[in-house]
Every structure is written in C-alpha cells, then in structure tokens.
Amino acid sequence: MASIGLSVPPGLTISTEACQEYLETGNELPEGLWEEVLEGLKKVENDMNATLGDPFKSLLLSVRSGAAISMPGMMDTVLNLGLNGEVVIGLAAKSGERFAYDSYRRFLDMFGGVVMGISHSLFEQELQSLKAAKGVTLDTDLTANDLKQLVVKYKDVYVQATGKQFPEDPKEQLYLSVLAVFNSWNSPRAIKYRNINQITGLKGTAVNVQSMVFGNMGSTSGTGVLFTRNPSTGEKKLYGEFLINAQGEDVVAGIRTPEDLDAMRQSMPEAYNELVENCKILEKHYKDMMDIEFTVQENRLWMLQCRSGKRTGTGAVKIAVDMVKEGLVESHSAIKMVEPRHLDQLLHPQFNDPSRYKDSVIATGLPASPGAAIGQIVFNSEDAEAWHAQEKAVILVRNETSPEDVGGMHAAIGILTSRGGMTSHAAVVARGWGKCCISGCTDIRVNENEKTLTVGKHVLREGDWISINGTTGEVILGKQPLSPPAISGDLGTFMTWVDEQRQLKVMANADTPDDALTARKNGAQGIGLCRTEHMFFASESRIKAVREMIMAVTAEQRQAALDKLLPYQRSDFEGIFRAMDGLPVTIRLLDPPLHEFLPEGDINEIVSKLASETGISEDEVFSRVEKLSEVNPMLGFRGCRLGISYPELTEMQVTAIFQAAITMINQGVKVLPEIMVPLIGTPQELGHQVGIINKVAERIFSETSACVKYKVGTMIEIPRAALVADEIAQNADFFSFGTNDLTQMTFGYSRDDVSKFLPAYLSQGILQNDPFEVLDQRGVGQLIKIATERGRKAKPDLKVGICGEHGGEPSSVAFFAEAGLDYVSCSPFRVPIARLAAAQAAC
C-alpha cells in the first residue's frame, strides 16, 4: 500500500522463509535475524522521530501475522508494544492519562494472552468487576484513575499466572512477540483452519512490525474494518464498521458492537472521503474486492493492512461479473475469482417461503452470512463437533466466537451470536466458509454454562430445533421448509464464461430420469455413470424379481426371473434416454455382490422371507444364502464376474438397453448409448462380455430392422487393469476410471472400515487428505496416467474419463485435466463445481 502512495505507518516485515527456518530448527531464530530486526527498527525510529522505550519520544509498535493466504483470527497480534511503567507516564504527559492507561491495559491483556498464554477471561474478569464496582456499562466510561487501577490488577494477573513480573524491557517484549507470532502458525486453531480449508504448501507466517497509530485518542479518533464491496451480496458499496475511540481488536473480536461506516462519514468527513478514494485505488491495483483495516488518529487516516476479502458464493459471482462489466478484469481472470466452494454455497437450498414463518420469528440480528440453516442448538465448540460426528445438524449459539471455536464453527450448519458486528470473527469466518450466520443478535440472552437461549418468553435448551435466515438475520422457532436453488442471472452469465474456457467435458452420475434431468439443468454434457443396480430397489416387485434370480438354482429359473426384470430396466432406460436427448449415456452393467440385494436382519428371518417370496423351500434358500456368503465381498463375486458366470444376466441388461434405445429413436429422440463392463482385470474378461453385447445387438437389430450406434468400454478399477491397459484397449471404445474402487485396491483400505484409523492418519500427517475425497495423485493418479498413455498408444481415439467421487473434487478435476482425460463424471449437484474446476485448470 505504501508503494502506491497510501498513508501506511512505517514498519518492517520478517519473511515467511524466516518462520519456516525457525519452525524447522526447533523454534530457534535464524542466525543474524534478530540483529536484522534491530537494524530495521532503527530505520522505523528515524522515520517516526521516536524511539522504542524512550519515555519522552516513545515509539509504540504493533506486531501482526501475515500469511500468504488470509486466515482470519487464526494467528496472533499484539498492539501497543513498548509500553512499560516509565513510557506510560511519558505518553500520559503527552497525550493524556486516560488514553495512555487505556493503551497500557490493552497491551497487558494482549501480551499476556498471545505471548504468555494467559487466559483472556482472567483479564476480562477484572475489567467486568471494576465496571460493576464503578456502576458503568462501557469500557469508555472508565476514568483515567479507574484504568490505572486496572493496570495494577492486570499485572497481578500476570504474576499469578506466570510466576514472573511483566517484562519492562521493550526489546524483550518485541522479541517474545515475534516468537509468539511464529509459534501461532502451529497453534491448534491455525492447524485446524488450514486442514478444514485444505491450505497446504505454505512456508509459515510473516511478522509485520509496524508503528502504532491510535484510534483510542478520543472523539477525533477511531478504528474500522471494511470490504470494498458487500461480501455477502457483491453489491458495489463499501461494507464495514467503525468504532470511535477504540482499537482494532474491539471491532474484529466482537467485544463491542460497532456502528455503520455512516458514523465515520458524519463525524470525520475528510478521513472518510480519503478512505473512499483509497478503496478505489486498491481495487484498481489488486483487481479484486479488498478487506481493509484502518485507523483514524486525530482525524488523520492510516491504512493498516489489506488483503483479498473473504466472500460468499453470491458475493463472489456478482463481484466477478461486475468487475468484468466495469473493465477491471477480463472474463478469464474473473473465472479465477470464484472458488468451487462458492458454487457449492449457491447450490444449497433457501427457505421456501419466508412470509409463512413470520409468526415464528423470535429475534432478529445482523445478517452476517446469507443462506438458510436448520439445526439443533448447541452452546460450545466441543459439543458441535461431537454432535456433527453423530451426523446431527447443529447450530452453534455463542455470546461471541473466538478463534478457538473454529472446529465447532466448521462442524455447525449455522452460527448465531448475541454480540459482534458484521466484521466480527464469527461473521468473517462464516462468510469464508459459506456458513449461514447471524451476529449481534441482542434480542437473545445466551447462558453458555446452563446451555440456554432466552428471548422474551421463550427459553430454548440444548437440542431444541431452530431455523436461521442469514440473509435477513431472522431467528425462527422449529424447522422451516426449504426450496432448491437454480442457476440464473449473474451465475448464468458466469457459467457461460466457464464453459467457454474449459476443455474437459463434465458429465453426471445419474440412475433415474429425475437425476438425469437435474444433471442436464446443471449443465451436464451426458451421463458418465448410470448404475443399473439402483433401479432394482425402486419397488417391491423389482426387488422380489431380483431375489428370485439370485435364489434360482437352474438357468431356467434364473431366466424366468430375468424376464420379469427386463421391462423394468427397459422402461428406466427409456426415461433416461429421453431426458438426455442428444447426449451420451454410459450404462454400467450390474456391479455389486448379489448378497447386497438380500434382506437384512436375523438369518432365520431372511430365510423365511426369501422362501415366502420365491416359493423355494427354506432348506434350499439357506443353502443358497450360504453359498453367496463371502469373506471379502468387495473383492469377490461381483462386476464382470457375475456376467461371465451368468451370461443371461448380461444378455437381459443389454437387451433392455437396445430395446429402449430403438423405442426412443422411433419417437424422435437422439440416443447415444455407451455400455460399460465393470471390474475388469484381464483383457479376456472384457472380450467375453463384449462378445455377448455384440451378439445381443445383432439379434435385436435383426428382429427390429433397426440399428443403433453404440460404444462398449470398461471401468478401470483394478490396478492390474491399469497396467495392462494397452491389452484391454483392444476391445474397448472407452475407459472410465472408477476411482473409488481403484483407491480402495491401490491403498488396500476398505472404504467401510477406513474411518477406524483415518482420523489418526490425518492428525499425524501420515496422509494429507482422505484419499476417498481427494485423489491420491502420487499413487492412484499415476495409475490413471499409465492406463491413459498405454490405452491410447494401443488405440489413439480411445475416450477416457472418470466416474468416481473424485469427479466433483476441484483439485482432482485439475489433475484429470492435466492428465489429458476427456471428461469427468460426478453427482448432478456437483456438476457446476466440476465445470468451474475444469475451467480454472484450463486458465
């Protein structure tokens, strides 16, 4: 900011590389670093014509973190550094006793908490006791003498907590504060925040040592935080808060509920106008919406720091579209301004009809982060995480949140606080995560110890259900109905740019006509995975027919059951082909083990039910169930092994596909069927199934005097298949990587059991991510590259894609694009996210 002509207090920066070296060498400062800091300090002292520790020309400092990626509230800051028993007297003589001792007590509190690890509550207890004794409500109502007493109390707290006297040497204060900021990089809250947001590869945090400017010097001073545009809606209007006679911590920590920026415009018009102009300069320079901290000291504006502002999905899209319209950025740059998780937020439901719940609104606070949330209330972070682990939807209710609450805030579906403003910790973090949040809801009284929320005549307790509207700030009793989102307006414009930029096609995993329609509405370019087994559970008559097929002893009995299933399959395929008119549909033949279609429960009950349904004796049923039992069914009798053992099963499914295709073609629908054989490990397996498919096609085309263009391919799910892909490609028109099973077999991790040890692996750094969520690029990813290269070497026009869960995960999508795949396929609701990730990979 200083380099582009803005008023920034002089200072110096200790680099992230220094932090990295400090952490890697067992928390030892790099050799010569402290001497460099002292040299830099001399330059700051010369610029300010003041000296650290000089009672008559005292230089006071702020010590702040500065990571490459914004982590609001996660690392530590110390203000007013340099104060001691002598300096405070000199400062009082120059600037007034009240200001001096207010600054001193703040410094004692922050230094004690940040540097020495003393609980803030111990200092807060003394402050509240003093205010109660003096009969005042606000900190600003305390006199200079009151604050002198408070300084003595705070020093007593320090001694009692640490067993040491407070350090009077300002350079020792600075040294310890620098170490504290470095150490905060590996604080539990910072580590958890980085894990939650998948922030990796950073060296650490920088340390910014800056001359203090003071917002607590009376009515001509103040401090504020603002965003150059509304981070919730994206509206081009300054969005922020200001407190007269305060320091920055008062705003961001939610200790006092601040005022709108209009308060600054009315009380300090010249500083306000300069601030407005500075915001325009910063947006033009950084080409982004900025988050700014500033202070006004005796009517002079000082810019303290700026960074790219956290924003909601709605805000991100509007800001990106508006900045293109304004000529600030090009459309390809705008694509990078929206994160995939922003689209995830926009695709979440909203309240169905807000007018219907008006009688149930019990309180209204500040609409800190938009969206709708319905959940059971909890009152602390630990409970939020525990309930979330039990798959309960929770709303975290607090007086105010602190960085220590980051785990519970992430686990909660929504956040409600009684204190704090629109730029408080709760608001900023919630907006960054797309969490619905209401802050500063002064209507409610929160008793965190008794776990109650009181508002008027209503007393709510832990576990009670509420709904919160983060767009309006309304708190509503009970559960309110939600409606699905839709792509339109700015989002539609933005997604047009996305599709112009990307090269990777995006398809969807869809098993029903409704799923197919949803996928198409969300921009899917076809169906990359239609799982035929899901259709069998659609009705009682279908599942009975499947069980008859499973229980069949002879081929005739099995064929009779399959004849019952054929019309069901054909009807389903017709609906999907109709929904995807003109787009390819990839249908996977039956994959799961047959035992998955049997009833659950006691073996005797299962046998009795199957005997009743199939007309087979209980002894025969019991014998058949025993034969189906497997030690490891996921590596057992499933996938192509079913079709090879029971060719009539493949014949029935393929017959249904071709009959449905011909029916739809006769109705004017363009059908592009692709038949996928699962769990291939050898080229012979695929050759066997391709032979059956082609034979059925010839028969159906001969019977109907019709012809359908179709493709036959396979899922690459077994590591061996990836290694012999050149041989398998001889019989395949396409490969589709089933990354769920490929991950399972490559790691040797059972998806059903991995949760027993995965948390330990992640917390100890053995794994950086859950490999079933984020593709393992070094292992599974290399198999994908090998298979793609070998397959295309044997068949250059081989189409290659992926249809596992990783198809909608942004970093995995980027890898697939780089590996040269043709498409990804994901759930219908993640299609827009995959489209954006593919476009960003192409930028």
Side-chain angles (χ1 to χ4, degrees):
M1 289 191 291
S3 67
I4 57 175
L6 304 188
S7 297
V8 179
L12 60 93
T13 297
I14 305 172
S15 70
T16 55
E17 288 82 2
C19 178
Q20 183 180 36
E21 188 174 340
Y22 168 82
L23 296 172
E24 288 176 349
T25 56
N27 294 4
E28 292 287 336
L29 283 184
E31 186 176 348
L33 177 64
W34 182 241
E35 289 71 22
E36 289 182 35
V37 170
L38 295 179
E39 280 298 312
L41 180 61
K42 287 179 183 177
K43 294 179 182 178
V44 176
E45 290 175 331
N46 289 336
D47 287 342
M48 294 298 290
N49 192 27
T51 303
L52 187 67
D54 186 332
F56 304 104
K57 285 189 176 182
S58 55
L59 174 69
L60 300 186
L61 301 172
S62 65
V63 182
R64 290 185 171 89
S65 62
I69 295 176
S70 174
M71 297 168 54
M74 293 305 110
M75 288 175 296
D76 290 327
T77 296
V78 178
L79 303 180
N80 306 322
L81 187 144
L83 282 168
N84 59 25
E86 292 183 356
V87 171
V88 72
I89 294 171
L91 185 63
K94 181 181 177 183
S95 304
E97 279 196 327
R98 196 195 180 284
F99 159 73
Y101 283 93
D102 182 50
S103 300
Y104 197 13
R105 64 95 182 176
R106 291 170 183 274
F107 174 50
L108 290 166
D109 185 349
M110 295 187 79
F111 187 91
V114 168
V115 179
M116 304 307 295
I118 302 171
S119 172
H120 169 69
S121 63
L122 297 176
F123 296 106
E124 183 68 17
Q125 203 170 42
E126 295 294 344
L127 174 61
Q128 296 302 328
S129 295
L130 181 61
K131 287 197 292 187
K134 299 295 180 180
V136 300
T137 303
L138 302 176
D139 302 0
T140 50
D141 293 332
L142 293 172
T143 66
N145 284 331
D146 296 336
L147 293 169
K148 284 181 181 179
Q149 293 178 40
L150 195 58
V151 164
V152 173
K153 297 281 188 184
Y154 277 13
K155 285 189 173 183
D156 288 342
V157 168
Y158 189 96
V159 171
Q160 290 168 16
T162 67
K164 303 175 183 176
Q165 294 294 324
F166 179 79
E168 294 285 310
D169 180 0
K171 288 182 180 175
E172 182 185 356
Q173 296 170 1
L174 178 59
Y175 182 85
L176 293 173
S177 296
V178 169
L179 298 189
V181 173
F182 277 167
N183 291 333
S184 70
W185 179 254
N186 281 336
S187 67
R189 66 175 185 261
I191 291 172
K192 183 168 283 191
Y193 185 91
R194 291 198 296 275
N195 288 340
I196 288 169
N197 291 280
Q198 297 182 10
I199 298 171
T200 58
L202 299 186
K203 297 174 181 178
T205 179
V207 181
N208 294 312
V209 180
Q210 205 169 17
S211 306
M212 277 296 301
V213 288
F214 299 96
N216 58 329
M217 293 188 74
S219 60
T220 60
S221 303
T223 189
V225 175
L226 69 81
F227 296 82
T228 53
R229 302 184 188 221
N230 188 313
S232 293
T233 67
E235 180 187 5
K236 189 180 180 182
K237 180 182 178 183
L238 294 188
Y239 177 97
E241 294 169 323
F242 185 72
L243 269 174
I244 293 174
N245 195 20
Q247 288 196 327
E249 187 68 10
D250 296 332
V251 179
V252 297
I255 295 168
R256 287 168 56 189
T257 300
E259 299 179 77
D260 187 85
L261 281 174
D262 280 342
M264 179 184 177
R265 178 167 56 183
Q266 293 168 11
S267 59
M268 305 171 192
E270 290 184 11
Y272 177 83
N273 291 335
E274 183 183 351
L275 179 64
V276 171
E277 202 56 40
N278 286 355
C279 290
K280 293 176 184 176
I281 293 169
L282 287 169
E283 275 205 349
K284 188 174 181 180
H285 180 77
Y286 288 105
K287 301 185 184 304
D288 200 358
M289 183 270 280
M290 304 305 295
D291 172 359
I292 297 167
E293 293 183 27
F294 65 93
T295 287
V296 179
Q297 178 178 316
E298 296 179 321
N299 287 319
R300 181 176 178 183
L301 174 68
W302 292 93
M303 307 295 285
L304 302 183
Q305 63 179 2
C306 73
R307 57 197 171 200
S308 176
K310 299 289 185 185
R311 62 207 74 180
T312 65
T314 301
V317 170
K318 180 167 177 56
I319 288 165
V321 171
D322 284 354
M323 284 192 167
V324 172
K325 291 177 181 177
E326 294 163 20
L328 276 176
V329 298
E330 300 292 332
S331 59
H332 67 271
S333 299
I335 288 170
K336 296 180 180 180
M337 295 171 67
V338 179
E339 300 173 26
R341 64 182 178 81
H342 286 141
L343 292 192
D344 197 23
Q345 296 170 26
L346 289 175
L347 298 172
H348 286 166
Q350 301 291 323
F351 284 121
N352 203 358
D353 182 3
S355 64
R356 294 178 61 183
Y357 64 61
K358 291 300 179 184
D359 291 341
S360 299
V361 174
I362 57 172
T364 302
L366 299 174
S369 185
I374 301 169
Q376 295 173 273
I377 58 176
V378 295
F379 293 88
N380 61 58
S381 187
E382 292 77 13
D383 288 342
E385 292 188 73
W387 287 38
H388 174 72
Q390 299 170 32
E391 299 186 349
K392 295 180 179 179
V394 299
I395 292 176
L396 179 62
V397 179
R398 303 280 282 162
N399 281 310
E400 74 246 349
T401 64
S402 76
E404 306 301 331
D405 291 317
V406 62
M409 293 173 71
H410 188 255
I413 199 167
I415 300 159
L416 170 64
T417 68
S418 63
R419 296 200 288 264
M422 301 289 276
T423 55
S424 64
H425 175 263
V428 172
V429 173
R431 279 196 296 270
W433 284 339
K435 298 275 183 186
C436 177
C437 176
I438 298 172
S439 61
C441 187
T442 55
D443 295 343
I444 66 174
R445 292 203 317 277
V446 179
N447 188 320
E448 294 171 359
N449 293 325
E450 295 184 7
K451 297 184 177 181
T452 61
L453 182 161
T454 305
V455 52
K457 63 181 181 181
H458 302 284
V459 179
L460 304 182
R461 293 178 172 79
E462 183 179 70
D464 287 344
W465 287 87
I466 63 170
S467 304
I468 59 175
N469 188 332
T471 306
T472 63
E474 294 167 313
V475 182
I476 311 128
L477 284 175
K479 305 178 187 179
Q480 302 301 323
L482 300 172
S483 60
I487 294 178
S488 61
D490 286 333
L491 182 55
T493 301
F494 179 78
M495 294 308 293
T496 299
W497 300 338
V498 164
D499 291 335
E500 290 170 352
Q501 187 69 36
R502 68 184 169 90
Q503 298 170 359
L504 195 68
K505 289 186 176 180
V506 177
M507 301 170 76
N509 304 338
D511 308 321
T512 68
D514 285 344
D515 287 346
L517 285 171
T518 299
R520 189 157 194 160
K521 286 177 183 176
N522 284 339
Q525 295 167 280
I527 291 178
L529 175 63
C530 175
R531 292 156 288 209
T532 52
E533 62 270 12
H534 287 189
M535 301 172 177
F536 295 152
F537 290 100
S539 69
E540 189 67 23
S541 56
R542 294 187 187 205
I543 197 64
K544 281 184 179 180
V546 173
R547 289 168 181 166
E548 284 179 29
M549 182 264 293
I550 294 170
M551 291 294 108
V553 177
T554 66
E556 291 77 14
Q557 290 174 332
R558 191 174 303 109
Q559 189 61 56
L562 291 171
D563 289 342
K564 294 180 182 179
L565 286 171
L566 175 62
Y568 294 131
Q569 292 257 275
R570 183 172 58 225
S571 174
D572 286 334
F573 294 143
E574 287 174 1
I576 290 172
F577 288 144
R578 186 182 297 111
M580 302 307 288
D581 184 4
L583 296 176
V585 176
T586 305
I587 300 169
R588 183 181 72 185
L589 301 180
L590 191 65
D591 181 46
L594 294 179
H595 75 88
E596 289 194 5
F597 298 101
L598 300 180
E600 294 182 349
D602 177 76
I603 184 64
N604 293 321
E605 292 177 3
I606 293 172
V607 168
S608 176
K609 182 170 184 174
L610 288 173
S612 172
E613 287 181 356
T614 60
I616 301 172
S617 72
E618 289 194 2
D619 286 344
E620 287 179 300
V621 169
F622 190 85
S623 174
R624 186 73 178 130
V625 169
E626 271 197 325
K627 287 180 181 178
L628 287 173
S629 176
E630 294 179 287
V631 174
N632 192 342
M634 294 311 292
L635 296 178
F637 190 33
R638 55 171 289 219
C640 66
R641 301 155 198 170
L642 295 170
I644 291 170
S645 300
Y646 303 137
E648 57 270 28
L649 178 56
T650 298
E651 289 171 4
M652 181 277 289
Q653 291 200 289
V654 174
T655 297
I657 291 169
F658 286 129
Q659 287 180 348
I662 290 168
T663 299
M664 288 297 97
I665 289 170
N666 291 336
Q667 293 180 18
V669 175
K670 187 176 181 180
V671 178
L672 301 171
E674 301 185 355
I675 300 170
M676 185 157 65
V677 182
L679 215 69
I680 291 295
T682 71
Q684 291 80 11
E685 288 173 318
L686 181 58
H688 179 281
Q689 290 291 280
V690 169
I692 294 175
I693 292 166
N694 290 338
K695 186 177 178 181
V696 171
E698 290 175 13
R699 174 174 61 80
I700 298 294
F701 298 164
S702 174
E703 292 172 356
T704 60
S705 300
C707 187
V708 179
K709 286 187 177 182
Y710 66 94
K711 292 182 178 180
V712 180
T714 183
M715 289 185 84
I716 304 293
E717 306 165 87
I718 297 174
R720 187 182 192 278
L723 297 174
V724 297
D726 51 342
E727 299 176 41
I728 290 174
Q730 301 294 336
N731 285 314
D733 297 315
F734 65 89
F735 285 169
S736 180
F737 292 99
T739 54
N740 300 341
D741 270 333
L742 188 57
T743 297
Q744 180 169 237
M745 295 189 196
T746 301
F747 273 97
Y749 296 165
S750 164
R751 275 183 293 166
D752 296 326
D753 300 311
V754 72
S755 61
K756 294 175 182 176
F757 61 86
L758 186 61
Y761 272 42
L762 294 172
S763 65
Q764 295 178 41
I766 294 171
L767 291 176
Q768 295 302 310
N769 299 289
D770 179 345
F772 293 103
E773 292 181 3
V774 179
L775 185 77
D776 163 43
Q777 297 183 15
R778 292 175 63 88
V780 178
Q782 295 313 301
L783 287 173
I784 289 171
K785 282 188 173 182
I786 289 168
T788 301
E789 290 165 4
R790 292 181 182 178
R792 284 183 173 154
K793 188 174 182 180
K795 184 174 285 188
D797 61 347
L798 184 74
K799 185 169 84 167
V800 182
I802 170 265
C803 61
E805 292 298 319
H806 303 95
E809 195 284 313
S811 67
S812 305
V813 172
F815 175 84
F816 300 137
E818 184 269 332
L821 271 62
D822 296 302
Y823 70 90
V824 297
S825 187
C826 58
S827 75
F829 293 102
R830 291 185 68 80
V831 165
I833 295 168
R835 288 162 64 193
L836 175 58
Q840 291 178 337
C843 286

